[in-house]
Amino acid sequence: YYGSYILYAPEGADWRHAARIMRDTGFGMLSGKPEVVQSVLDELKLTPALHTNVMMKLPPGRLIPSERRAPILKVGLHNLEEHLPAMTALRQSIPEFSMGLNADALRDELRLGYKRIFLVREDGGVVSMAMTSVERRKYAMIVSVCTRKEYRGRGYAGALMTALCEELEQEGKTAVLFYSNPVAGRIYRSLGFEEIGRWCFATFG
């Protein structure tokens, strides 16, 4: 998936087959449950940078809307190019998000209906953002939730997450996400998200 392997299988899977496939292809990231990622890395004999995040889910009907609202803009194919430079600049300004945005992936996913993007614009720029990735019929992964440092504490992240989750709920989709920032974790819990496990990311090069 755009240079990234995301591995999952029932307990007891033999990951040597995945390792063989990965040896023959180029990749920049591997993610999965910590024990799965470590099994593949042991087989590949690689020691990349490892990051373990908390995985959360918003149970159906459990959304607690943020009391603080903000003027929210929804991005689609019709206005993506207009906002893409500011979105990229915002993401690159956040230490937790070392990688930029893949413009081709954004266009493809918007076209196919696998992604939705919500922004808060202020002072001529994008100051807060949240989006989904690889949406499917029942689930949607929320990614890239971020706010510029000088605009934090105004409730933008909670307002964006509320708008995004309300729309997902209306479509019968369950929201899931990862986080490593404790402040973000508190925001997600205040909205009704519950912890369901750990997810590991291994980055190469």
Side-chain angles (χ1 to χ4, degrees):
Y1 180 78
Y2 296 105
S4 174
Y5 277 95
I6 306 169
L7 302 180
Y8 181 81
E11 298 295 328
D14 185 346
W15 294 106
R16 289 176 295 180
H17 303 297
R20 290 190 196 106
I21 294 170
M22 292 178 68
R23 281 195 191 100
D24 297 332
T25 59
F27 58 93
M29 181 181 289
L30 164 66
S31 65
K33 289 185 175 182
E35 59 272 21
V36 171
V37 170
Q38 194 57 57
S39 295
V40 175
L41 293 177
D42 290 346
E43 187 68 26
L44 291 171
K45 296 179 172 56
L46 294 174
T47 54
L50 289 174
H51 309 278
T52 301
N53 291 355
V54 177
M55 189 173 185
M56 304 189 87
K57 177 176 78 171
L58 180 62
R62 296 286 298 277
L63 175 64
I64 305 168
S66 171
E67 293 180 1
R68 300 173 71 177
R69 297 293 174 130
I72 292 170
L73 173 69
K74 187 172 182 180
V75 176
L77 278 174
H78 66 288
N79 61 355
L80 174 64
E81 303 304 326
E82 174 189 349
H83 301 293
L84 187 55
M87 289 165 52
T88 301
L90 169 58
R91 185 178 163 90
Q92 290 177 334
S93 74
I94 308 298
E96 298 98 302
F97 300 143
S98 57
M99 295 189 301
L101 292 169
N102 185 322
D104 289 335
L106 291 177
R107 294 185 194 99
D108 289 346
E109 291 183 345
L110 283 169
R111 187 177 298 110
L112 294 168
Y114 296 164
K115 179 176 290 296
R116 64 192 83 201
I117 304 169
F118 289 78
L119 308 175
V120 174
R121 291 188 64 96
E122 195 168 307
D123 301 325
V126 175
V127 299
S128 192
M129 173 172 68
M131 64 178 74
T132 60
S133 184
V134 291
E135 286 194 34
R136 292 299 182 262
R137 186 168 60 88
K138 292 186 178 181
Y139 290 92
M141 175 67 67
I142 296 178
V143 298
S144 297
V145 182
C146 53
T147 302
R148 283 195 179 277
K149 187 174 182 180
E150 59 270 31
Y151 291 90
R152 293 175 187 171
R154 304 185 188 187
Y156 290 161
L160 283 167
M161 288 291 292
T162 295
L164 185 51
C165 292
E166 284 177 343
E167 191 168 292
L168 292 172
E169 269 199 348
Q170 289 170 5
E171 298 175 16
K173 294 184 179 182
T174 297
V176 293
L177 56 80
F178 307 117
Y179 82 88
S180 58
N181 182 331
V183 175
R186 288 196 291 272
I187 293 172
Y188 303 144
R189 286 186 179 86
S190 74
L191 295 169
F193 279 81
E194 298 178 354
E195 183 177 330
I196 57 173
R198 295 290 188 273
W199 199 258
C200 183
F201 296 85
T203 53
F204 305 83

